[in-house]
Amino acid sequence: MTPILVIRMYWIAPDNWTSVFLPRFSGDPRACPCALASAVAPLPPPLARAMPFELTINGKPVPVDAPDDMPLLWVLRDIAGLTGTKYGCGMAQCGACTVHVAGQPIRSCVTPASALVGQPITTIEGAGATGPVAKAVQDAWVAGAVAQCGYCQSGQIMSAIALLGSNRNPGDGDIDAAMAGNLCRCATYQRIRDAIKVAAATLA
């Protein structure tokens, strides 16, 4: 019988953060189809650790004890317990993970949390308390029944709030440009555009 040692390792890439269990075999590599690759694949260097740090999320201090390069998305979901921000692609291509840093939309799936010390972070859970723009957007979303499955909508709303925060009277081109990075598999794009226009009219 081939002995098996299970090694826990972290895979860190610019677009993802996860941990996996990989089997490594001693003995005859033919014992398992994955044994040969597992036996010869080099292990990554040890994961860099930082001193614990503190983030300001939705106006509250949140202590974080995590790797330097852990993306903000996973700090929000796994440490702060704020699960309204969603994982979509891990590559900053879909917008589901959009949050605000100092009022500007960023993709939290590729942004190291440790780089945001001292900067105010706002998630969908705290957006409603930021002022009339957020309230107008959220009210318009509800009134227009924008969400279908709803998975992408927290990111859509955060991008819409950022747009109306800088432009209270956006045209179709402005809306399309601001929302281009937010994908919706349910194709609710027209409802999103309409809701943004309703919110803009409310703020006028």
Side-chain angles (χ1 to χ4, degrees):
M1 180 176 179
T2 303
I4 300 175
L5 172 64
V6 176
I7 298 175
R8 184 177 180 88
M9 61 178 257
Y10 290 92
W11 170 54
I12 298 295
D15 59 358
N16 203 359
W17 186 90
T18 188
S19 62
V20 294
F21 287 93
L22 295 182
R24 293 186 66 82
F25 295 79
S26 60
D28 188 349
R30 293 171 296 180
C32 173
C34 63
L36 181 59
S38 184
V40 300
L43 290 175
L47 189 64
R49 296 286 300 184
M51 296 295 291
F53 55 92
E54 185 177 273
L55 296 177
T56 302
I57 304 174
N58 298 328
K60 298 178 181 179
V62 177
V64 178
D65 185 4
D68 293 19
D69 43 7
M70 186 177 188
L72 175 62
L73 173 63
W74 301 115
V75 170
L76 294 174
R77 293 183 61 84
D78 296 343
I79 296 177
L82 299 170
T83 57
T85 304
K86 304 302 184 185
Y87 174 82
C89 66
M91 299 182 293
Q93 298 297 308
C94 75
C97 67
T98 303
V99 299
H100 292 176
V101 174
Q104 298 302 310
I106 62 111
R107 307 302 188 225
S108 63
C109 71
V110 296
T111 305
S114 60
L116 302 176
V117 173
Q119 300 189 62
I121 300 164
T122 304
T123 70
I124 189 66
E125 291 88 347
T130 60
V133 173
K135 185 178 187 310
V137 170
Q138 291 178 326
D139 288 348
W141 242 253
V142 173
V146 173
Q148 189 161 316
C149 83
Y151 192 83
C152 70
Q153 294 301 313
S154 61
Q156 303 277 2
I157 289 171
M158 296 304 285
S159 291
I161 292 171
L163 166 62
L164 292 177
S166 60
N167 182 356
R168 295 292 180 91
N169 187 31
D172 287 347
D174 299 319
I175 294 172
D176 291 346
M179 305 300 292
N182 292 83
L183 304 183
C184 175
R185 293 191 63 160
C186 301
T188 62
Y189 298 112
Q190 187 58 51
R191 279 182 278 179
I192 289 169
R193 180 186 287 179
D194 291 344
I196 292 173
K197 290 180 178 180
V198 169
T202 300
L203 294 165

